Amino acid sequence: MNLQKVNRREFLKATGMTAGGLVMGVTVPMSLHAEEGETGFHPKVFIQIAENGDTTLYCGRAEMGQGISTALPAAVADELEADWSRVTVLQGDGDKKYGSQATGGSRSINEFFIPMRTAGAAMREMLIKAASQSWGIPESDCYAELHFVHNKKNKKKLSYGELSSVAAKLPVPTKPALKSKDQFRYIGKPLTRHDQDEVVVGKRTYGIDTKIPGLKYAAITHVPVYGGKLKSVDKTGALKMKGVVDVVEVERIKSPFSSLGGVAVVADNTWTAQQALKKLKIEWDLGEHKGYDSKTYLQDLIKNVESPAEKIFSRGDVDKGLEEAATRHSASYTGGHLSHSPMEPMASLAWVQDDSCEIWASTQNPQQIQQVIAIFLGRKEEDIVVHVTAAGGAFGRKGKCDYVHEAAAISKAVGVPVQLTWSREEDMRTGYYHSINAQHLEAGLDKDGNISAWLQRAAFPSIGSTFNPSLDRANERDFTRPIAHPYGIANYKLESGHAPAHTRIGWYRAVYDIFYGFATNVFTDELAQKAGIDTLTFLRNIYDNNKDPVLAKSASRCRGVLDLAAKKGSWGKKMPKNHGLGIAVHYSYNSYLAMLVHVETKGDDIKVHRVDCAVDCGLVLNPDIATAQMEGAVVMGLSLSLREDVTFRDGAVVNSNYHDYPVLRHNEMPEVHVHFVDNDESPTGLGEPGVPTFAPAFINAIYAASGKRYRSIPIKPMSV
Amino acid sequence: MSKKININGKDVSVDVDENMPLLWFLRDELELTGTKYGCGIAACGACAVHLDGAAIRACVTPVSSVIGKKITTIEGLSEDGSHPLQKAWLANNVPQCGYCQAGQIMGAADFLSKNPKPKEEDIDNVMSAHICRCGTYKRIKKAILEAAADMQEA
């Protein structure tokens, strides 16, 4: 990392704010954030202590409910010995100055924790030095506490505000001393989030809420099939409506994050625009994917994994291992497309003028907006101003800015600022979906019931296909997780089956780990039954047998969460009839998760009574936010296990709204208990890792309760 | 005489197509954006507001049907965010992204006014009309129970 003072001119340029007091810019290691062609000092975060003591962080990462705008400043404030009530966080606009702002992959905590603490500690030391000079005493006679530097000898104190300008003239310490764990004031404590007060009074402004003078409102309808385009549109009826400004055709541009193509109506308000859309007479050229039928396609995927496919990775000799095994077992598993369906549908405000372009959007990636709009307008990226608003849920969907491109295209066409709001139906039918998937697993067990060979074939349309449509199967990169799987089985082979994409595929909270975690953990439960060994013992044996030194730590942390979940959820206890416990463990995004699920079944009626989540994410920065992330992961996991299923017919999505894409509601919320492993490992992210363990633990619990083995999720798809 | 709706204690003139749902009148015409659009078909509860104290879905309520009536939105639930539910929401750190929470609070406020001593099962049933995609259900239930207890004491 790099830590430097920022001068008045640089700070104004970067934040649009006037510098005063002490301002520090922080970068993160280049190895983690090698921006192409990036040289020199480019701070990702700015920290300012103003002359009145107000302390502000300018942070480029997007807040979408996961609490990042609380967790990172807490790390700074702790080392700085700041008074938490004096610290505010401002969300940075989209700008290369922050480095990559792509928020996803649960990376923010991993990358920023130590740099943030170091910055806080350096500033603390500078403030102490400023005070010691002012008093003419050694630094060792001073200490910092809650926004003041105190004089040990005479109990005098100077505030951070008073000291800030003097401190700004001092050199930045190169190796400031960080606190030890027992000295933490905020890290690991349930701090209040910064952004909650506004929420409960309806004052928090999301992308959909932005208003500026002269604003018009737009609604859009998209080409129903990926790769299709507009053939003709009769605008007459829409243009006749009172309050309609114009009808605008939006075309695809050469970017995977551009509009899918559609027709928009601009009007005095959203409702009029939505009504006028219905008056358009549109003919589409549906293109090459008009025959896509997801149910048939899934059957194809199953066939493709139940016969040899393209080798991705191999260790030892799987064929020989399977042949020599005392017992063999195989099974196939499937999952459908999923829609992110955040509560705030895609929405963005754009104002394109001849000499400027300003965007307001809830987004996980403001710089991508700059890139896409720059391509669209033929302008420079730095001339596209992107204001990042709060996101009303995202889950990966708002990392793709097709809706922002559309807002800009519409604004450019009509010459006024335009707020584009997608209807829920458009949101559901114009997604970047989680991959539909099939996997086939085969394993051999030795006479003691240990796994001696493991073959895993997966077929799913790759996210890479959204960038390179000729990609017709998942590649090595898509198999990153199983390649480094902590089981470390000696004879191990991964194969990728044919799976061309017929829709846009995108990142969905936990991405491929949803189905990798699912198949692996259900299969091991089946193997345990086959071997006549208790599942927990069977899993423990796998980790204990893993002699690969590279995987030793990963295996031991997996074993740790497994044991914690088993203990907290009382694995092995006698269950009443029709009740069962299921367990699963998964390592993803540098964090370790195990879940133990207790279900009761009455025929097809399944009730989840209790979930115990064991989490090893290293040092827990904020246990309350971390717990909330796990509660949310259980809800999403149960929701996608039960009913979530995007169905395509004739190339188009059949589902339309929450009535035919049912997501989990209050009445099915189980009791959730979250337990953290106490260790000194560095902190890792939790936005995604909770999701993959739920489905398999749930499915294994249903088996324990009823003897019924589900191998496809969702288990109760709605017929649409 | 122009047609009026009383919104959060103020009379507001209606000069739009009266078929317009109250949701868009609030959001686009009055710029009261606390009431959220989620589904447009009364399936998610994000747009819940009170009509003479009872929760309705603003997305399917034409402006014509509420003329002369009293509407309360999240912005008018309390003067200063001091409704017991708002306080309980903060005390339990309920929101994650926060988008659905105005609707959740409005729904819960109506429910508590009719059921001052709610059973957990009743909360589950009534609040199932509201979707939270972040999954804050557990905390919502706890906050409602705490607010109910708070209102009993008051």
Side-chain angles (χ1 to χ4, degrees), chain A residues 570-587:
Chain A
S570 308
W571 178 265
K573 73 178 166 192
K574 187 151 169 46
M575 303 298 288
K577 192 170 182 295
N578 300 326
H579 286 245
L581 297 178
I583 197 162
V585 55
H586 192 68
Y587 163 61

Side-chain angles (χ1 to χ4, degrees), chain A residues 675-695:
Chain A
H675 319 282
F676 296 99
V677 173
D678 184 21
N679 64 24
D680 290 325
E681 300 287 345
S682 27
T684 50
L686 277 184
E688 288 159 292
V691 178
T693 38
F694 182 84

